[in-house]
Amino acid sequence: MPKHDDPTTALPGTGPEPTAPAPPPGPAPTGQAPVGRTPAGPVPAGRAPVPAAPALVGPAPVPVSAGPGYRAVFRVREFRVVFVAHLFSLLGVVVSELALTVLVYDLTRSPLLSSLTFALGFLPYLVGGTLLAGLTDRLPPRRILVVCDLFCAGCVALMVLPATPVAVLLALRCAIAVVSPVFNGTRMATLADILGEGDLFVLGRSLLRIVSQSALLTGFAVGGVLLTVVPPRGALAVTATTFLVSALLLRLGTVRRPARASGAADSGLSGTWAVLRNRRVRALMLMFWVPPLFAVVPEALAAPYADEIGVSTAALGLLMCALPVGTIAGELFAGSFLDAATRSRIVLPLAVTGVLPYLLYAPEPGVPLAAAALFLAGATGAYTLGLDAWFVAAVPDEQRGRAMTLMTAGMMTVQGIGMAGAGIAAEFAPVHAVVAGTGVLGTVCLLAAAAELRAAGATAETRAGRGGRRPKGETGLTGM
């Protein structure tokens, strides 16, 4: 994605953008937070709270009754468009990864370069998440989403060309990974504009995560079937089309919203540090980053573990599926049967115990017990629904896009680090011991992260008391 330091410079491929009507005046619907710029984070002593700015341009969230479920989210027309676009974009990512891996191996016969294709999907997230995060607040969000999809379609189209050498194929894979956190962070911030900052946002985020986890179960199967019909470059051509469809849906099916921050907003690392100076936001990001750092270890070592205990490839498939199936089950249960208050109360208990089931690997169990441990670990991922609500409430609106981009970039980066660390540890210790040790080390680190989050909440509440009011989102942490 080209870097545009001047926010007034039009990005290609967007055209004129009609402005959506402003929401009607009056109180927000029951069960939803008002969409607009309200103070967030602690108010420094001696400084008056910042008054709320006018609401963002766009349709008001649809009123729903108390305790909305997933069906209530789908009643919001604009979310349905974003959801379908996400399906097409995700299909493009999953199939292109598989097709590119096969293509690189066909061209080089090198397992190292083939596996490197997957690794390149993680590490560039750090670059895009830090250097390009400022774009998410300085440019209209719909423009960013559309241009990112078009950019990915262009990269994949270049991969299709027979003359494209392997080095360029890998560079294009990196380019897609660099813009991915910008796209994901912008989409997450836009969900708060579409659904409000309350329960609908949490359920909308949950649905997108469930789709992403489901892609781990079905996406590679679809790609494998596709590769039996067409060659790798043909599969890549199909994925270029999916990115174009996603761009078209977002361009025609979502409304134009203005940039959240002015063109003078900090960019690059200075803007990143401006977000991380907020202790509570920093602590919340840590709680998003630490669990996946350890959660990926059994998946990264699934093949070596299957070889260690001498089971078939079918059993390996069961081990690979257990964690995402548990994650989907946990999210569906929490989103369907728990109210917002309960989801908030279970955040820390579930988060700190999320990798404890890995201790079941200590006696080198068979496939059923190992799969049960992975399923239980995945199910604890239901804590993310409550954590999402805390995060969107804590981040100032003018920093929301950048903060969410940093959060998603960090999550992808730590997964790459976790996989690499697991592989290194397995060179010196049996796989089952590495996984069980992860359960111990991960729990200690999660307890430390939870303690920091509670301390950050206590500090915020103290400052809020000095300022005479509680800032947006500063609730409930000290009581957990």
Side-chain angles (χ1 to χ4, degrees), residues 54-109:
L56 288 174
V57 176
V62 176
V64 295
S65 58
Y70 288 115
R71 272 190 255 177
V73 182
F74 280 114
R75 287 200 290 268
V76 182
R77 185 199 64 82
E78 198 173 358
F79 174 78
R80 293 198 299 270
V81 174
V82 172
F83 182 81
V84 175
H86 177 62
L87 290 178
F88 278 98
S89 182
L90 187 63
L91 178 64
V93 170
V94 173
V95 177
S96 65
E97 284 181 350
L98 180 60
L100 184 60
T101 301
V102 174
L103 177 60
V104 169
Y105 184 74
D106 286 346
L107 293 175
T108 65
R109 314 309 294 180

Side-chain angles (χ1 to χ4, degrees), residues 76-289:
V76 182
R77 185 199 64 82
E78 198 173 358
F79 174 78
R80 293 198 299 270
V81 174
V82 172
F83 182 81
V84 175
H86 177 62
L87 290 178
F88 278 98
S89 182
L90 187 63
L91 178 64
V93 170
V94 173
V95 177
S96 65
E97 284 181 350
L98 180 60
L100 184 60
T101 301
V102 174
L103 177 60
V104 169
Y105 184 74
D106 286 346
L107 293 175
T108 65
R109 314 309 294 180
S110 169
L112 174 61
L113 289 177
S114 180
S115 62
L116 184 61
T117 305
F118 272 111
L120 290 176
F122 287 95
L123 299 183
Y125 261 74
L126 184 61
V127 177
T130 53
L131 299 183
L132 302 181
L135 293 176
T136 58
D137 291 320
R138 296 172 59 200
L139 294 171
R142 184 177 68 179
R143 184 184 301 175
I144 295 174
L145 294 174
V146 171
V147 172
C148 284
D149 265 336
L150 293 176
F151 178 80
C152 292
C155 289
V156 175
L158 291 175
M159 295 177 185
V160 175
L161 300 177
T164 305
V166 171
V168 176
L169 290 174
L170 297 178
L172 292 170
R173 178 71 184 93
C174 284
I176 293 175
V178 166
V179 303
S180 291
V182 178
F183 181 88
N184 292 334
T186 303
R187 181 179 58 203
M188 197 192 313
T190 303
L191 275 185
D193 300 336
I194 295 171
L195 300 174
E197 299 173 9
D199 215 29
L200 285 186
F201 167 79
V202 172
L203 295 176
R205 278 275 294 142
S206 174
L207 280 170
L208 296 187
R209 272 197 305 268
I210 288 171
V211 170
S212 298
Q213 289 293 329
S214 300
L216 296 176
L217 303 175
T218 61
F220 289 123
V222 172
V225 172
L226 182 61
L227 287 172
T228 64
V229 180
V230 297
R233 293 190 192 275
L236 288 171
V238 172
T239 65
T241 304
T242 65
F243 283 121
L244 290 175
V245 172
S246 175
L248 185 65
L249 287 170
L250 292 171
R251 179 62 183 84
L252 300 180
T254 61
V255 301
R256 182 189 185 277
R257 292 176 173 85
R260 293 181 178 83
S262 66
D266 290 336
S267 59
L269 296 178
S270 61
T272 298
W273 178 239
V275 173
L276 295 178
R277 276 200 298 265
N278 185 322
R279 185 182 181 185
R280 186 180 178 203
V281 172
R282 193 169 63 242
L284 287 167
M285 283 193 180
L286 194 64
M287 189 54 72
F288 275 110
W289 294 342

Side-chain angles (χ1 to χ4, degrees), residues 286-287 290 293-294 352 439-451:
L286 194 64
M287 189 54 72
V290 176
L293 173 65
F294 298 100
V352 299
V440 176
L441 179 61
T443 301
V444 172
C445 292
L446 284 165
L447 285 170

Side-chain angles (χ1 to χ4, degrees), residues 3 20 33 50 63 72 81 128 143 166 175 193 222 302 308 329 360 417 431 456:
K3 296 181 182 179
V50 180
V81 174
R143 184 184 301 175
V166 171
D193 300 336
V222 172
E308 182 178 284
L360 294 175
I417 295 173
V431 174

